[in-house]
């Protein structure tokens, strides 16, 4: 048993891991995640909530040090991290770690980019920091994963592990980029724990507040790193202590082995699921199952009823209240609707099978889609429940007018280790996102730069094109 606290063990890992220590697959994975987040942020830049985030950040004053998507000029690093973090998570298109069920890159990458730009770091330093930050983020999330219930205890408590654990991992990334040593990482974790936050009631009944969660996490991370550099300190027992992180969030029930076992030798980063579709990850298998029915010749006009079976743990997010899920008022609400996912798969979508163009307010309220959604029941499926949360499976049963039942089963998610997206597919997703605000040549240049991110010597130049996004609604 180590005499070091958990934070001290994480500090030793972070400070003692160099770029050259990173496995090749971790480096490649990080480059893809940076590309993914930048594309998502570009596409999200025209949202009203994104404009609100930019306006708020710009109104706070301070010395410009880092770039934010859609902001000409520069913002203080923590404000740039806030804006980019808001955009990165706003479309629910960011990656997912399983079985912790959190989205690590949307907090860690924006914080790391802002901290790297402020420090004048290069691509290798950025990759190292992102890899370590994501690894710590998901390990903290896994410490709150309950093997008995196959679910995140954070989630059961109504807590958004994405932003809570994301702030912690992102602060390590920001601290490393600020030149912090092992003790600085410990202090940053101690400071950030008092800043981490997020509840997820908006998933159930609406509201756009969840869009700021990763922005606030990234803001907290960069702020903590800067405060530590100025001399602020944190408790070394911040994680396991009597009044520490896990006591506060999980009533002291957590798995410390999930945090430190295999640290530095077993990397979670390459196995994190990319999202092929811009919606809550719990809905993705429903899209695929419905597309499978369509490919099998099931016609919409022949459908009497549809039953979507999902893991019991997902039911509240994608199927309840069923009246709300069958009648989403906005494209954002549709992203969390099992019935809408089924309809999208049956009708066919854009992008890699479902794209941003398929989640609009108009389509959410489309009478044809509403009529089809009214035929969808969402229930707990025993087989899906057994698999969750290692996958987010779905079983879709269509009852047809001729009396037949046709079943489509999707037990593994596209974008994960069993069904990975290639760099080319992820680049296609990036281009579909970036084309909305960037000319093709600028999008091509940015994608190419991310592919060789380890060779980048000027991160300010890397991000320059995204500060000039062509948002006609921006004032």
């Amino acid at each position: 048993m180590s005499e070091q606290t958990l934070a001290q063990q994480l500090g030793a890992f972070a400070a003692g891991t160099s770029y050259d220590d990173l496995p090749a697959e971790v480096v490649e994975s990080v480059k893809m995640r940076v590309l993914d987040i930048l594309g998502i942020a570009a596409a999200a830049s025209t949202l009203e909530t994104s404009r609100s985030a930019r306006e708020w950040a710009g109104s706070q004053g301070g010395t410009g040090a880092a770039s934010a998507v859609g902001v000409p000029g520069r913002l203080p690093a923590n404000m740039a991290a806030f804006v980019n973090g808001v955009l990165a998570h706003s479309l629910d298109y960011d990656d997912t770690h399983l079985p912790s069920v959190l989205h690590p890159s949307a907090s860690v990458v924006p914080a790391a980019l802002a901290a790297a730009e402020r420090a004048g770091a290069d691509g290798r330093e950025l990759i190292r920091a992102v890899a370590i930050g994501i690894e710590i983020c998901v390990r903290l999330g896994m410490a709150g994963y309950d093997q008995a219930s196959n679910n995140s205890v954070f989630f059961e408590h109504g807590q958004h592990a994405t932003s809570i654990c994301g702030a912690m991992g992102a602060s390590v990334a920001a601290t490393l980029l600020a030149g912090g040593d092992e003790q600085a990482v410990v202090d940053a974790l101690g400071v950030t724990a008092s800043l981490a936050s997020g509840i997820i009631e908006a998933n159930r009944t609406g509201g756009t507040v969840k869009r700021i969660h990763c922005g606030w996490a990234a803001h907290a991370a960069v702020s903590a790193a800067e405060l530590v550099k100025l001399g602020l300190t944190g408790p070394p027992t911040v994680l396991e202590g009597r009044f520490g992180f896990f006591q506060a969030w999980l009533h002291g029930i957590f798995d410390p082995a999930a945090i430190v076992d295999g640290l530095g030798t077993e990397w979670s980063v390459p196995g994190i699921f990319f999202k092929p579709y811009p919606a809550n990850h719990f809905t993705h298998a429903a899209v695929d199952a419905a597309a499978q029915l369509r490919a099998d010749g099931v016609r919409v006009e022949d459908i009497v009823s549809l039953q979507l079976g999902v893991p019991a743990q997902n039911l509240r997010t994608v199927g309840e209240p069923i009246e709300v899920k069958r009648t989403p008022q906005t494209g954002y609400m549709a992203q969390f609707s099992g019935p809408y996912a089924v309809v999208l798969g049956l009708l066919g979508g854009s992008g890699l099978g479902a794209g941003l163009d398929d989640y609009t307010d108009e389509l959410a309220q489309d009478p044809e889609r509403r009529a089809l959604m009214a035929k969808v029941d969402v229930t707990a499926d025993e087989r899906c429940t057994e698999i969750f949360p290692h996958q987010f499976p779905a079983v879709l049963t269509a009852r047809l007018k001729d009396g037949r039942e046709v079943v489509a089963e999707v037990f593994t998610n596209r974008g994960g280790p069993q069904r990975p997206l290639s760099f080319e597919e992820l680049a296609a997703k990036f281009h579909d996102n970036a084309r909305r605000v960037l000319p093709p040549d600028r999008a091509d240049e940015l994608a190419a730069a991310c592919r060789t991110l380890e060779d980048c010597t000027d991160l300010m130049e890397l991000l320059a094109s995204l500060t000039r996004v062509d948002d006609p609604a921006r004032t």
Side-chain angles (χ1 to χ4, degrees):
M1 191 73 171
S2 174
E3 294 182 1
Q4 290 184 310
T5 68
L6 292 173
Q8 287 168 341
Q9 291 179 71
L10 291 178
F13 156 69
T17 302
S18 69
Y19 173 85
D20 291 332
D21 293 326
L22 301 177
E25 61 268 23
V26 171
V27 172
E28 290 305 305
S29 181
V30 167
K31 292 191 293 183
M32 292 173 71
R33 294 181 199 285
V34 172
L35 174 67
D36 194 36
I37 289 297
L38 291 179
I40 295 165
S45 64
T46 60
L47 297 173
E48 185 61 36
T49 46
S50 301
R51 287 190 283 273
S52 297
R54 287 195 297 264
E55 184 176 346
W56 179 78
S59 71
Q60 301 305 298
T63 303
S67 305
V69 175
V71 179
R74 309 180 84 198
L75 294 172
N78 61 351
M79 288 299 172
F82 170 77
V83 171
N84 291 339
V86 170
L87 273 57
H89 193 55
S90 286
L91 296 173
D92 280 280
Y93 216 172
D94 44 317
D95 57 15
T96 306
H97 176 263
L98 300 180
S100 68
V101 195
L102 55 78
H103 311 287
S105 293
S107 297
V108 175
V109 171
L113 284 169
E117 196 172 349
R118 186 181 193 276
D122 62 21
R124 291 192 173 205
E125 292 170 299
L126 175 66
I127 291 169
R128 173 202 176 219
V130 170
I132 293 168
I134 289 177
E135 188 68 24
I136 289 175
C137 171
V138 299
R139 283 174 173 269
L140 293 177
M142 281 303 298
Y145 170 62
D146 180 21
Q147 298 280 350
S149 65
N150 289 332
N151 203 11
S152 168
V153 181
F154 288 102
F155 189 88
E156 285 303 306
H157 289 181
Q159 300 157 357
H160 197 192
T162 289
S163 55
I164 295 166
C165 300
M168 301 290 278
S171 73
V172 175
T175 299
L176 294 175
L177 287 160
D181 59 10
E182 181 176 334
Q183 183 58 46
V185 171
V186 174
D187 287 329
L189 288 169
V191 172
T192 308
S194 290
L195 306 176
S197 62
I199 61 172
I200 51 175
E201 179 62 14
N203 277 7
R204 294 185 66 254
T205 55
T208 56
V209 63
K210 180 173 171 288
R211 288 182 172 177
I212 73 165
H213 283 189
C214 290
W216 201 246
H219 177 280
V222 174
S223 298
E226 293 179 350
L227 286 166
V228 167
K229 193 166 185 177
L230 292 172
L232 202 68
T233 60
T237 54
V238 62
L239 295 176
E240 70 272 38
R242 173 63 182 85
F243 302 108
F245 180 87
F246 287 112
Q247 177 63 32
W249 294 112
L250 304 182
H251 304 165
I253 300 172
F254 70 103
D255 179 13
I259 302 173
V260 296
D261 282 3
L263 192 61
T265 58
E266 300 172 11
W267 287 83
S268 302
V269 176
I272 297 169
F273 290 55
F274 285 104
K275 277 190 175 182
Y277 314 134
N280 179 271
H281 222 146
F282 293 171
T283 68
H284 284 209
V287 174
D288 287 346
Q292 184 177 317
L293 290 184
R294 176 164 49 89
D296 290 341
V298 173
R299 301 187 305 170
V300 168
E301 57 267 30
D302 294 332
I303 295 173
V304 175
S305 65
L306 292 148
Q307 179 173 301
L308 174 64
V310 300
Q313 299 91 334
N314 293 8
L315 189 57
R316 286 175 296 176
T317 301
V318 304
E320 295 177 352
I322 189 61
E323 328 63 79
V324 174
K325 299 304 178 180
R326 287 175 176 161
T327 58
Q329 298 299 308
T330 64
Y332 184 68
M333 292 177 71
Q335 291 174 311
F336 295 87
S337 166
Y340 188 87
V342 170
V343 171
L344 176 52
L346 287 170
L347 298 179
S350 59
L352 296 178
L356 291 173
D357 293 336
D358 302 308
Y359 292 91
T360 65
D361 294 353
E362 292 74 21
L363 289 178
Q365 299 177 36
D366 176 67
E368 178 187 357
R369 295 187 180 221
R370 286 280 180 90
L372 196 50
M373 281 189 275
K375 299 180 179 182
V376 181
D377 288 310
V378 186
T379 61
D381 179 89
E382 184 175 346
R383 288 175 298 169
C384 293
T385 299
E386 290 175 356
I387 295 170
F388 180 91
H390 301 281
Q391 302 283 340
F392 300 149
V395 175
L396 182 61
T397 303
R399 295 176 179 86
L400 307 182
K401 290 179 179 177
D402 61 9
R404 288 186 300 138
E405 286 191 353
V406 184
V407 180
E409 301 174 339
V410 177
F411 293 125
T412 58
N413 285 92
R414 188 180 180 197
Q418 288 87 349
R419 298 170 62 197
L421 296 181
S422 66
F423 192 98
E424 288 69 28
E425 287 175 306
L426 197 69
K429 172 186 171 181
F430 167 80
H431 281 284
D432 185 54
N433 286 331
R435 69 174 173 81
R436 300 164 194 279
V437 293
L438 289 180
D441 59 334
R442 282 160 60 189
D444 288 342
E445 290 171 2
L446 186 53
C450 287
R451 191 158 203 168
T452 58
L453 185 58
E454 67 271 33
D455 298 327
C456 180
T457 58
D458 187 350
L459 293 173
M460 189 188 308
E461 181 61 29
L462 173 73
L463 298 173
S465 63
L466 289 174
T467 66
R468 306 189 302 271
V469 296
D470 302 322
D471 175 4
R474 191 179 69 240
T475 57

